[in-house]
């Protein structure tokens, strides 16, 4: 029997990030791990804080009766209360545990949110470039992802979003600090979005949710990440500990809703129901108990800051343009125009996929920007050992000389 057409079509255009990462594994087997410069996957290599290991061992040794059993689908009530205090500080609001639903990572949280708020045919607006899996998350709920271009500085284009709004708009999805650009959206942009969505709601009777995907909130270099929940009444924050505590494989995160959100009880009950019926059932029990003890902990962001500077130096020396990231751990770079010959002028066409393939010849792995909805660019993840970044300098130079 054939598999579902939707899945079959998705497989043909499956995640380029994962494809490049898996290709990197094979290249490392051939050439040796230290000789392959794999910047494809945003997989944090920094160890979790020592306190994580201490709490993990302590709880494992206690192993209280029933500690691995079911709990309410929304998560342990005491964990929700603790995280509500954390979110209240970050988002400049006053919420309690009833505003929090524990999630199986930010991905699980976003799928839960979209299942809760979307009817078939509804639309979710997102600004390009964006994390490619958003398309699949929307499709999972029979919703449509409406993609609009960002401004040249990669802030959301408020006018473009305004033109995309319709009576079918269930949500506007933002991601700050952004994957792949590292951009942090300023308060002025959030205020403009709030005004736009409020006016749209008054006209149509449907106030779109502002859904903020925030797994990189704690990895910021130049400024604090402005709050969303205190900016717009119909806002929802989805976050995880994948990046802030380097726990991507543990799949632990949460959903937080604004204290001013309308029909809060229906929304939260819907989130709890969808957590169950989507098959997550509940966020991992042990990880809930651990992160409740680590609300003040995070990885050493200065390590990522040093790597950013080291990578920028290499890109400058190689002659590759980029946007300077304000957060996260990605460098979004312009694919250079290709010369036809040594004495010929540059051609206008810029092919990010061709340049990505060219870099592979020099054992450099990145992800083409077209995978993020932004052709002509590439993403390099610098959550790798600094010695790999430093050693890649000659490879980048040689690759550019031969492009």
């Amino acid at each position: 029997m054939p598999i579902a057409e939707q899945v079959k079509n998705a497989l043909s255009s499956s995640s380029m990030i994962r494809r490049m990462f898996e290709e990197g594994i094979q290249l490392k087997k051939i050439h040796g791990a230290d000789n392959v410069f794999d910047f494809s996957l945003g997989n944090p290599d920094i160890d979790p804080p020592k306190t994580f290991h201490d709490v993990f061992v302590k709880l494992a040794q206690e192993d209280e009766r029933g500690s691995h059993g079911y709990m309410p689908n929304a998560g342990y009530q005491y964990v929700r209360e603790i995280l509500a205090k954390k979110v209240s500080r970050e988002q400049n609001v006053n919420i309690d545990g009833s505003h929090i639903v524990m999630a199986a990572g930010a991905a699980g949280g976003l799928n839960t949110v979209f299942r809760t708020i979307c009817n078939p045919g509804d639309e979710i607006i997102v600004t390009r470039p964006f994390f490619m899996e958003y398309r699949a998350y929307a499709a999972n709920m029979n919703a449509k992802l409406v993609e609009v271009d960002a401004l040249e500085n990669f802030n959301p284009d408020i006018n473009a979003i305004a033109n995309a709004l319709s009576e079918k708009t269930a949500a506007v999805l933002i991601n700050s600090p952004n994957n792949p650009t590292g951009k942090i959206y300023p308060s002025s942009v959030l205020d403009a979005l709030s005004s736009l969505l409020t006016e749209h709601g008054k006209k149509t009777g449907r106030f779109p949710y502002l859904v903020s995907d925030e797994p990189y909130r704690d990895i910021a270099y130049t400024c604090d990440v402005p709050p969303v929940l205190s900016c717009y009444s119909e806002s929802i924050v989805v976050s995880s500990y994948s990046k802030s505590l380097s726990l991507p494989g543990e799949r632990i995160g949460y959903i937080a809703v604004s204290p001013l959100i309308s029909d809060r009880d229906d929304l939260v009950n819907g989130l709890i129901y969808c957590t169950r019926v989507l098959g997550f059932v509940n966020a991992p029990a042990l990880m809930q108990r651990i992160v409740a003890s680590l609300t003040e902990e995070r990885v050493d962001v200065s390590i990522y800051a040093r790597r950013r500077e080291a990578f920028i130096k290499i890109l400058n020396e190689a002659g590759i343009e980029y946007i300077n990231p304000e957060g996260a751990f990605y460098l979004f770079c312009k694919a250079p125009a290709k010369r036809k010959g040594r004495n010929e002028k540059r051609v206008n066409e810029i092919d990010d996929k061709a340049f990505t393939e060219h870099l592979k010849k020099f054992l450099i792995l990145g992800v083409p920007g077209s995978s993020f909805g932004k052709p002509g660019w590439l993403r390099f993840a610098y959550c790798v050992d600094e010695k790999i970044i430093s050693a890649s300098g000659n490879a980048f130079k040689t690759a550019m000389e031969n492009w």
Side-chain angles (χ1 to χ4, degrees), residues 74 76-89 91-102 229 254-261 264-265 268 271-272:
Y76 292 116
Q77 185 59 37
Y78 85 92
V79 175
R80 297 168 69 194
E81 295 293 345
I82 289 172
L83 290 192
K85 293 178 181 178
K86 169 185 180 291
V87 173
S88 293
R89 292 192 299 272
Q91 297 288 335
N92 194 27
V93 292
N94 184 19
I95 62 173
D96 59 32
S98 66
H99 297 79
I100 301 289
V101 175
M102 301 304 294
L229 294 187
Y254 58 86
I255 305 165
V257 304
S258 167
L260 300 178
I261 208 159
R264 189 200 71 182
D265 290 345
V268 173
L271 294 170
I272 295 169

Side-chain angles (χ1 to χ4, degrees), residues 19-270:
R19 199 180 307 172
M20 296 296 288
F21 173 67
E22 290 165 5
E23 191 162 346
I25 293 174
Q26 298 305 315
L27 288 174
K28 289 171 188 176
K29 289 179 180 179
I30 298 170
H31 301 280
D34 291 342
N35 298 314
V36 177
F37 312 113
D38 187 356
F39 308 117
S40 61
L41 185 64
N43 186 21
D45 70 315
I46 298 176
D47 288 334
K50 182 180 180 301
T51 47
F52 168 81
H53 297 282
D54 295 341
V55 174
F56 184 97
V57 170
K58 178 178 179 292
L59 291 177
Q61 289 176 336
E62 290 176 356
D63 203 22
E64 294 181 8
R65 183 178 177 84
S67 61
H68 302 292
Y70 288 124
M71 81 292 296
N73 299 115
Y76 292 116
Q77 185 59 37
Y78 85 92
V79 175
R80 297 168 69 194
E81 295 293 345
I82 289 172
L83 290 192
K85 293 178 181 178
K86 169 185 180 291
V87 173
S88 293
R89 292 192 299 272
E90 293 176 348
Q91 297 288 335
N92 194 27
V93 292
N94 184 19
I95 62 173
D96 59 32
S98 66
H99 297 79
I100 301 289
V101 175
M102 301 304 294
L110 286 172
N111 276 277
T112 298
V113 168
F114 294 162
R115 180 67 183 88
T116 304
I117 68 174
C118 289
N119 291 305
D122 273 351
E123 297 175 348
I124 301 164
I125 298 173
V126 70
T127 295
R128 287 188 289 250
F130 58 89
F131 179 52
M132 62 189 70
E133 300 286 78
Y134 290 164
R135 289 173 178 159
Y137 299 167
N140 286 344
M141 310 311 158
N142 292 315
K144 178 183 179 183
L145 196 69
V146 178
E147 305 169 17
V148 300
D149 286 320
L151 297 171
E152 287 188 7
N153 64 2
F154 289 109
N155 276 333
D157 185 335
I158 302 301
N159 289 331
I161 293 173
N163 291 332
L165 286 169
S166 74
E167 293 183 357
K168 291 184 177 181
T169 304
V172 173
L173 174 61
I174 61 173
N175 172 216
S176 173
N178 179 264
N179 176 11
T181 66
K183 185 74 177 178
I184 294 176
Y185 300 154
S187 296
S188 58
V189 168
L190 299 181
D191 290 341
L193 265 176
S194 174
S195 298
L196 173 65
L197 298 181
T198 299
E199 288 304 310
H200 177 78
K202 289 177 180 178
K203 291 178 182 178
T204 64
R206 183 180 190 180
F207 290 83
Y209 292 102
L210 179 59
V211 179
S212 185
D213 181 22
E214 299 190 359
Y216 301 97
R217 167 174 280 276
D218 286 333
I219 302 178
Y221 312 114
T222 59
C223 61
D224 291 333
V225 180
V228 172
L229 294 187
S230 57
C231 178
Y232 176 58
S233 60
E234 303 300 310
S235 56
I236 302 170
V237 164
V238 181
S239 193
S240 80
Y241 290 90
S242 294
K243 312 311 190 287
S244 62
L245 292 182
S246 284
L247 300 175
E250 301 298 349
R251 311 313 305 145
I252 181 67
Y254 58 86
I255 305 165
V257 304
S258 167
L260 300 178
I261 208 159
S262 58
D263 301 319
R264 189 200 71 182
D265 290 345
D266 280 352
L267 175 63
V268 173
N269 287 334

